[in-house]
Amino acid sequence: MRFIVVVLGLAAAGMSTFLPAGLADAVARDLGTDVDRLHLATVVYSVAYAVCVPFTPALGHRLSWRGVISIGAALVVVASGLGALASTHGAFAASRAIAAIGAATLVPALLSAAGAARRSAAATGVAFAVLAGATSFTPDVARAFADRIPWQLVLMAPALLGVAGAALAFAVRGAPADRADRLRPVRFLGTLATCGFWLFLTAVSMASAYLVFGQSDALATGVGSDAAGSAVFGAGGVAATALVGLLLQNRDPERLLVGALTVLCLVFLGFVALTHADRAWAASAGLLFGVWGAATWSISPVIQQLLLRAAGPHGAIAVGLNASALYVGIGAGTTLGAVSPTITVGLSLAVLLSALAALAVLIRSRVAQAL
């Protein structure tokens, strides 16, 4: 029952991230703006999330687990309502900022609850699988429903999930003990210093992974594939995160991380090759979209396990900081992709960042063994 609450809450948070991407055409038409400008709402969401999420674990010290989930769900509901009622681009962007604060409240509490489970690595993998699926599938699902029902109703989907999760949380017996830590500056800065390498790596790896995600349609065209890239990307992410949770039980996390980053680099090199190949290789492009999603989303649960190991008693702060770094990376990568003049330039930057991240982990591991 408790894990169902985690699933519902993470699904609500994940869906709220890229929901406007699937509704972009309909929303832009009704608000009298263009699609490119509307995509800035995703950047607003990422920035607001990244700024707020390091501080939200402190709520767990003041409030119960149920209270934190209720506040997060309430903010998602308010944001969905304001977004549905928005009549200008500015009002819509403001609603996205509120949605980000709601998600930033939910995610650390829910991931901490998943990590506190008896089989924490497996539970963390499943939790990230839910987050990966909700984030990656949302644009295509929203686009399909926007053609049949008003986009305002589609925008309320995360609110319904959030309310269901909050209501169920109050029915759970023996709610988990709060793992949040009082947000004192010394503890915060100490955790930041201890976990700084892994937090920076989260941002860099997510930036490389999402650098060309915003250009997935252009990428699919460039490699000769008409497949729905984001759907295949999401399927790979769901499968990989669930599997990584099991592998973390008895495998070295750093080796898994180097492997995921190396695969990510090879995927982007494969895309570069396909952009110059014959269109008959379209099936290979579809496979690469799936591997891309698998490598991208398998990185997050591995780094979270390494962070929890490094942070010691201040794991809740580390989880919050990691969620912040994740969205900093997604926002930075999406922005870099938007300003890249061609898909080839974007892919080249993605190759460089993922290769540097893998090399950094490998060097750190070798130095630690030598010491």
Side-chain angles (χ1 to χ4, degrees):
M1 184 75 75
R2 185 185 306 165
F3 202 74
I4 293 174
V5 176
V6 172
V7 167
L8 289 172
L10 290 177
M15 285 182 65
S16 67
T17 304
F18 286 120
L19 197 60
L23 304 174
D25 292 336
V27 176
R29 182 177 61 250
D30 285 0
L31 298 186
T33 186
D34 58 85
V35 173
D36 290 337
R37 189 183 177 200
L38 190 66
H39 281 318
L40 292 175
T42 301
V43 178
V44 170
Y45 182 99
S46 297
V47 171
Y49 189 107
V51 169
C52 293
V53 77
F55 304 101
T56 54
L59 288 173
H61 186 82
R62 303 290 183 183
L63 303 172
S64 67
W65 185 68
R66 298 181 178 96
V68 174
I69 293 174
S70 298
I71 290 175
L75 288 171
V76 171
V77 171
V78 170
S80 298
L82 291 176
L85 296 173
S87 58
T88 64
H89 174 264
F92 188 80
S95 74
R96 298 303 300 150
I98 297 173
I101 298 172
T105 303
L106 285 170
V107 171
L110 296 170
L111 289 180
S112 291
R118 183 174 298 175
R119 295 175 61 82
S120 60
T124 298
V126 174
F128 272 103
V130 172
L131 197 58
T135 301
S136 303
F137 293 141
T138 292
D140 291 323
V141 174
R143 194 176 295 115
F145 277 99
D147 294 335
R148 303 174 184 177
I149 60 178
W151 63 265
Q152 291 88 346
L153 294 179
V154 179
L155 198 64
M156 296 301 295
L160 296 176
L161 289 174
V163 169
L168 194 59
F170 282 90
V172 175
R173 293 183 178 181
D178 293 312
R179 298 180 64 197
D181 208 346
R182 187 188 294 275
L183 196 61
R184 292 173 180 167
V186 173
R187 291 180 179 177
F188 180 87
L189 294 175
T191 305
L192 183 63
T194 304
C195 303
F197 174 81
W198 299 117
L199 296 171
F200 179 73
L201 191 74
T202 294
V204 172
S205 59
M206 288 300 105
S208 68
Y210 275 84
L211 208 150
V212 289
F213 184 78
Q215 299 176 312
S216 57
D217 291 338
L219 178 61
T221 302
V223 299
S225 172
D226 296 325
S230 59
V232 182
F233 175 94
V238 170
T241 43
L243 177 60
V244 165
L246 297 175
L247 292 176
L248 281 170
Q249 300 288 339
N250 51 15
R251 293 295 204 300
D252 179 11
E254 292 191 19
R255 287 188 178 183
L256 290 175
L257 186 57
V258 171
L261 289 167
T262 302
V263 170
L264 194 64
C265 180
L266 293 175
V267 165
F268 292 133
L269 286 172
F271 279 135
V272 171
L274 286 179
T275 56
H276 299 88
D278 188 87
R279 290 181 65 89
W281 290 91
S284 300
L287 177 62
L288 283 178
F289 272 108
V291 179
W292 175 20
T296 297
W297 276 98
S298 63
I299 291 169
S300 298
V302 176
I303 291 183
Q304 178 160 307
Q305 289 298 110
L306 291 165
L307 277 168
L308 289 173
R309 178 194 298 176
H314 308 307
I317 294 178
V319 170
L321 286 169
N322 191 49
S324 176
L326 188 145
Y327 274 84
V328 167
I330 290 176
T334 303
T335 303
L336 281 173
V339 300
S340 297
T342 65
I343 191 64
T344 302
V345 173
L347 286 169
S348 300
L349 287 173
V351 168
L352 178 63
L353 289 177
S354 54
L356 289 176
L359 184 61
V361 178
L362 192 59
I363 292 174
R364 183 189 183 282
S365 178
R366 298 302 184 195
V367 169
Q369 291 176 5
L371 294 176

